[in-house]
Amino acid sequence: MPRILGISAASRKSASDDLFGADAARTSELREPEAAEAQQRAERGPRPRPSGSGAKRTSILGVLNAEESLEQLRAGARDEVSRLQFELAEAEDRAKRAEQWVARIRQEIEGSLMRSSAAGRRPQYP
């Protein structure tokens, strides 16, 4: 039988029978594969941990993905700003033309009214 922590399985079984009776011995038998595995791990020594390169790589990839997403958002925002600036320029141009038309219409109406009043008659509206 394998030895765990310097005590043989038979010694542990008899000690547990003496202290706790047969139920404890059966429980000990059920745990024996786990104990054997723990003994093997203890004999091999501590498992080497990754040097953190995996975590660093994951972190770096996360940062790169975040930067890429941020750059895409910035590009989208720049495009949206450019589109809005273009629409604003078009709207300002339309407003300017509309104001010119209103000024022209006003001049024509005022000119027509002035001529009518100067002639001494009322303007006829269609």
Side-chain angles (χ1 to χ4, degrees), residues 5-80:
L5 303 175
I7 302 172
S8 71
S11 299
R12 277 187 297 117
K13 184 177 179 195
S14 66
S16 68
D17 283 346
D18 292 344
L19 290 174
F20 304 107
D23 288 338
R26 271 187 256 122
T27 303
S28 174
E29 289 172 6
L30 293 175
R31 293 185 190 156
E32 201 158 311
E34 295 171 5
E37 187 177 319
Q39 177 65 33
Q40 289 173 352
R41 281 195 309 264
E43 289 171 358
R44 284 191 301 249
R47 194 171 105 200
R49 296 245 180 229
S51 64
S53 62
K56 286 180 185 176
R57 187 176 311 121
T58 302
S59 176
I60 291 170
L61 288 175
V63 168
L64 291 176
N65 287 338
E67 287 176 351
E68 182 179 324
S69 296
L70 183 60
E71 187 55 38
Q72 288 174 351
L73 287 172
R74 284 181 180 149
R78 282 191 298 268
D79 291 345
E80 184 71 10

